[in-house]
Amino acid sequence: MKKVIFVGWISLMAVLLGFSPEMGSKQGQAVNDVVKVYGPGGPLGPIKEVAEQFTKETGIKVEVTAGPEEKWINQAKQDADIIYGGSEYMLTEFMHDHPDVLDEKNRTELYARSAGILVRKGNPKNIQSLEDLTKKGVKIVDVNGAGQLGLWEDLAGRKGLIPGISSNIVISVKSSAEAIDLWKANSKLDAWITYESWHYRLSDVTDLVQLPEEDKLYRGTPVSITNKSENKKKAKQFIDYLKTEESHQVFQKWGWK
């Protein structure tokens, strides 16, 4: 009898304090309704746009956090449902560095994007080709990481341009975010060999020099559900949506193939 009275008293206090038994389950459900996605800044534009379309169509919220890995990795280890990469090697490197976060069997490829040359507005150095990057006085910024590791060398090597382009690289950084800051701060930088897609994020401060198809180099955009995700069903639903033709068209608008 005393036990019944005690339980009843706790229930009464909970109601008076504004808590109902359903509240905890609803709060948990609300958390699980949010698909949390993390990755580098390069693919942010199309992934965020597709996420917004997905939410409108399904009611499932997708929260995308992007930028250099060191800025989000600690939080991602706690609540990430999906991790994407800026290239295949980039996600593989992530898996090597954080072996407990992702499983190879959950990995899938989205779309490829091509490398190009970003130049100053109006293209004052009249850069039209990879060969033009070897000319005296051309100053190049290089991103030695962030999905672009070895990108310029792979392009230049096929045409015997490695020495000429290498000698014109005046600064090398680890991330696209650093390259963007440098580009905006230092008008003496003339060119950046990177993905065409970055032009669509920087159209106010760059022009795009597209390479001939026979010179182009493509890298992928992989994505994977995390091992610890408590929201795997909705995460898979979002990845399946990313692979639809409607989503593909969004990626193409942002510079993907």
mmCIF file of all heavy atoms in Angstrom, residues 119-128 132-133 135-139 187-191:
data_model
loop_
_atom_site.group_PDB
_atom_site.id
_atom_site.type_symbol
_atom_site.label_atom_id
_atom_site.label_comp_id
_atom_site.label_asym_id
_atom_site.label_seq_id
_atom_site.Cartn_x
_atom_site.Cartn_y
_atom_site.Cartn_z
ATOM 1 N N VAL A 119 41.002 31.636 -61.580
ATOM 2 C CA VAL A 119 41.837 32.819 -61.819
ATOM 3 C C VAL A 119 41.112 34.058 -61.312
ATOM 4 O O VAL A 119 39.937 34.001 -60.933
ATOM 5 C CB VAL A 119 42.172 32.979 -63.322
ATOM 6 C CG1 VAL A 119 42.984 31.783 -63.815
ATOM 7 C CG2 VAL A 119 40.902 33.138 -64.150
ATOM 8 N N ARG A 120 41.799 35.179 -61.330
ATOM 9 C CA ARG A 120 41.196 36.437 -60.902
ATOM 10 C C ARG A 120 40.076 36.855 -61.862
ATOM 11 O O ARG A 120 40.086 36.497 -63.047
ATOM 12 C CB ARG A 120 42.264 37.538 -60.858
ATOM 13 C CG ARG A 120 43.305 37.344 -59.784
ATOM 14 C CD ARG A 120 42.737 37.597 -58.407
ATOM 15 N NE ARG A 120 43.627 37.136 -57.347
ATOM 16 C CZ ARG A 120 43.288 37.126 -56.071
ATOM 17 N NH1 ARG A 120 42.080 37.542 -55.699
ATOM 18 N NH2 ARG A 120 44.124 36.689 -55.153
ATOM 19 N N LYS A 121 39.134 37.623 -61.353
ATOM 20 C CA LYS A 121 38.057 38.149 -62.189
ATOM 21 C C LYS A 121 38.659 38.905 -63.372
ATOM 22 O O LYS A 121 39.563 39.719 -63.211
ATOM 23 C CB LYS A 121 37.149 39.078 -61.392
ATOM 24 C CG LYS A 121 36.380 38.426 -60.267
ATOM 25 C CD LYS A 121 35.359 37.408 -60.753
ATOM 26 C CE LYS A 121 34.186 38.068 -61.449
ATOM 27 N NZ LYS A 121 33.140 37.079 -61.843
ATOM 28 N N GLY A 122 38.151 38.598 -64.550
ATOM 29 C CA GLY A 122 38.672 39.238 -65.754
ATOM 30 C C GLY A 122 39.903 38.550 -66.315
ATOM 31 O O GLY A 122 40.382 38.911 -67.389
ATOM 32 N N ASN A 123 40.443 37.572 -65.564
ATOM 33 C CA ASN A 123 41.607 36.791 -66.001
ATOM 34 C C ASN A 123 42.739 37.694 -66.520
ATOM 35 O O ASN A 123 43.158 37.598 -67.682
ATOM 36 C CB ASN A 123 41.198 35.796 -67.091
ATOM 37 C CG ASN A 123 42.223 34.692 -67.303
ATOM 38 O OD1 ASN A 123 43.243 34.631 -66.621
ATOM 39 N ND2 ASN A 123 41.946 33.826 -68.270
ATOM 40 N N PRO A 124 43.275 38.580 -65.673
ATOM 41 C CA PRO A 124 44.277 39.562 -66.122
ATOM 42 C C PRO A 124 45.563 38.940 -66.673
ATOM 43 O O PRO A 124 46.243 39.562 -67.488
ATOM 44 C CB PRO A 124 44.549 40.385 -64.857
ATOM 45 C CG PRO A 124 44.109 39.528 -63.731
ATOM 46 C CD PRO A 124 42.955 38.746 -64.244
ATOM 47 N N LYS A 125 45.920 37.726 -66.228
ATOM 48 C CA LYS A 125 47.122 37.077 -66.740
ATOM 49 C C LYS A 125 46.834 36.243 -67.998
ATOM 50 O O LYS A 125 47.735 35.580 -68.524
ATOM 51 C CB LYS A 125 47.751 36.187 -65.654
ATOM 52 C CG LYS A 125 48.364 36.966 -64.486
ATOM 53 C CD LYS A 125 49.626 37.707 -64.918
ATOM 54 C CE LYS A 125 50.275 38.478 -63.774
ATOM 55 N NZ LYS A 125 50.964 37.621 -62.804
ATOM 56 N N ASN A 126 45.582 36.282 -68.464
ATOM 57 C CA ASN A 126 45.176 35.560 -69.673
ATOM 58 C C ASN A 126 45.571 34.078 -69.616
ATOM 59 O O ASN A 126 46.158 33.517 -70.543
ATOM 60 C CB ASN A 126 45.773 36.205 -70.930
ATOM 61 C CG ASN A 126 45.113 35.684 -72.206
ATOM 62 O OD1 ASN A 126 43.946 35.298 -72.210
ATOM 63 N ND2 ASN A 126 45.859 35.664 -73.302
ATOM 64 N N ILE A 127 45.236 33.459 -68.512
ATOM 65 C CA ILE A 127 45.526 32.032 -68.327
ATOM 66 C C ILE A 127 44.412 31.222 -68.994
ATOM 67 O O ILE A 127 43.241 31.337 -68.623
ATOM 68 C CB ILE A 127 45.621 31.698 -66.823
ATOM 69 C CG1 ILE A 127 46.821 32.431 -66.212
ATOM 70 C CG2 ILE A 127 45.727 30.190 -66.603
ATOM 71 C CD1 ILE A 127 46.841 32.434 -64.697
ATOM 72 N N GLN A 128 44.774 30.420 -69.977
ATOM 73 C CA GLN A 128 43.794 29.650 -70.739
ATOM 74 C C GLN A 128 44.046 28.143 -70.682
ATOM 75 O O GLN A 128 43.227 27.364 -71.155
ATOM 76 C CB GLN A 128 43.797 30.100 -72.211
ATOM 77 C CG GLN A 128 43.516 31.581 -72.419
ATOM 78 C CD GLN A 128 42.118 31.988 -71.996
ATOM 79 O OE1 GLN A 128 41.205 31.153 -71.926
ATOM 80 N NE2 GLN A 128 41.936 33.272 -71.691
ATOM 81 N N ASP A 132 49.898 27.640 -69.607
ATOM 82 C CA ASP A 132 50.013 29.054 -69.221
ATOM 83 C C ASP A 132 50.447 29.220 -67.764
ATOM 84 O O ASP A 132 50.970 30.279 -67.384
ATOM 85 C CB ASP A 132 48.687 29.778 -69.445
ATOM 86 C CG ASP A 132 48.381 29.980 -70.921
ATOM 87 O OD1 ASP A 132 49.318 29.926 -71.738
ATOM 88 O OD2 ASP A 132 47.187 30.172 -71.256
ATOM 89 N N LEU A 133 50.232 28.184 -66.964
ATOM 90 C CA LEU A 133 50.626 28.263 -65.554
ATOM 91 C C LEU A 133 52.129 28.155 -65.367
ATOM 92 O O LEU A 133 52.638 28.381 -64.264
ATOM 93 C CB LEU A 133 49.925 27.156 -64.753
ATOM 94 C CG LEU A 133 48.406 27.253 -64.661
ATOM 95 C CD1 LEU A 133 47.845 26.068 -63.882
ATOM 96 C CD2 LEU A 133 47.968 28.558 -64.005
ATOM 97 N N LYS A 135 54.215 30.023 -67.156
ATOM 98 C CA LYS A 135 54.809 31.290 -67.603
ATOM 99 C C LYS A 135 55.422 32.065 -66.439
ATOM 100 O O LYS A 135 54.946 31.997 -65.299
ATOM 101 C CB LYS A 135 53.742 32.149 -68.287
ATOM 102 C CG LYS A 135 53.262 31.584 -69.614
ATOM 103 C CD LYS A 135 52.200 32.483 -70.227
ATOM 104 C CE LYS A 135 51.727 31.945 -71.572
ATOM 105 N NZ LYS A 135 50.648 32.790 -72.170
ATOM 106 N N LYS A 136 56.455 32.793 -66.765
ATOM 107 C CA LYS A 136 57.138 33.596 -65.748
ATOM 108 C C LYS A 136 56.187 34.633 -65.150
ATOM 109 O O LYS A 136 55.429 35.288 -65.859
ATOM 110 C CB LYS A 136 58.334 34.307 -66.382
ATOM 111 C CG LYS A 136 59.188 35.070 -65.388
ATOM 112 C CD LYS A 136 60.395 35.696 -66.069
ATOM 113 C CE LYS A 136 61.251 36.468 -65.080
ATOM 114 N NZ LYS A 136 62.440 37.074 -65.736
ATOM 115 N N GLY A 137 56.218 34.742 -63.831
ATOM 116 C CA GLY A 137 55.404 35.748 -63.154
ATOM 117 C C GLY A 137 54.051 35.266 -62.693
ATOM 118 O O GLY A 137 53.347 35.982 -61.973
ATOM 119 N N VAL A 138 53.649 34.043 -63.084
ATOM 120 C CA VAL A 138 52.365 33.510 -62.629
ATOM 121 C C VAL A 138 52.540 32.933 -61.232
ATOM 122 O O VAL A 138 53.421 32.095 -60.992
ATOM 123 C CB VAL A 138 51.837 32.418 -63.589
ATOM 124 C CG1 VAL A 138 50.587 31.763 -63.009
ATOM 125 C CG2 VAL A 138 51.531 33.018 -64.954
ATOM 126 N N LYS A 139 51.697 33.373 -60.301
ATOM 127 C CA LYS A 139 51.799 32.927 -58.913
ATOM 128 C C LYS A 139 50.613 32.019 -58.583
ATOM 129 O O LYS A 139 49.455 32.421 -58.721
ATOM 130 C CB LYS A 139 51.835 34.128 -57.962
ATOM 131 C CG LYS A 139 53.083 35.003 -58.128
ATOM 132 C CD LYS A 139 53.049 36.185 -57.177
ATOM 133 C CE LYS A 139 54.355 36.971 -57.222
ATOM 134 N NZ LYS A 139 54.621 37.535 -58.567
ATOM 135 N N SER A 187 45.889 39.737 -53.475
ATOM 136 C CA SER A 187 45.501 39.870 -54.883
ATOM 137 C C SER A 187 46.623 39.507 -55.850
ATOM 138 O O SER A 187 46.409 39.429 -57.066
ATOM 139 C CB SER A 187 45.024 41.295 -55.171
ATOM 140 O OG SER A 187 46.076 42.224 -54.925
ATOM 141 N N LYS A 188 47.828 39.264 -55.328
ATOM 142 C CA LYS A 188 48.953 38.902 -56.196
ATOM 143 C C LYS A 188 48.934 37.421 -56.574
ATOM 144 O O LYS A 188 49.688 36.999 -57.453
ATOM 145 C CB LYS A 188 50.272 39.248 -55.511
ATOM 146 C CG LYS A 188 50.488 40.750 -55.360
ATOM 147 C CD LYS A 188 51.838 41.067 -54.738
ATOM 148 C CE LYS A 188 52.034 42.583 -54.627
ATOM 149 N NZ LYS A 188 53.350 42.915 -54.012
ATOM 150 N N LEU A 189 48.103 36.639 -55.915
ATOM 151 C CA LEU A 189 47.945 35.231 -56.299
ATOM 152 C C LEU A 189 47.093 35.173 -57.563
ATOM 153 O O LEU A 189 45.994 35.722 -57.612
ATOM 154 C CB LEU A 189 47.290 34.439 -55.173
ATOM 155 C CG LEU A 189 48.105 34.326 -53.882
ATOM 156 C CD1 LEU A 189 47.289 33.670 -52.783
ATOM 157 C CD2 LEU A 189 49.388 33.535 -54.130
ATOM 158 N N ASP A 190 47.595 34.493 -58.589
ATOM 159 C CA ASP A 190 46.952 34.511 -59.902
ATOM 160 C C ASP A 190 46.087 33.300 -60.198
ATOM 161 O O ASP A 190 45.132 33.399 -60.982
ATOM 162 C CB ASP A 190 48.019 34.592 -61.003
ATOM 163 C CG ASP A 190 48.912 35.809 -60.847
ATOM 164 O OD1 ASP A 190 48.361 36.920 -60.774
ATOM 165 O OD2 ASP A 190 50.144 35.632 -60.798
ATOM 166 N N ALA A 191 46.419 32.148 -59.641
ATOM 167 C CA ALA A 191 45.727 30.928 -60.047
ATOM 168 C C ALA A 191 45.709 29.899 -58.928
ATOM 169 O O ALA A 191 46.577 29.878 -58.040
ATOM 170 C CB ALA A 191 46.404 30.337 -61.286
#
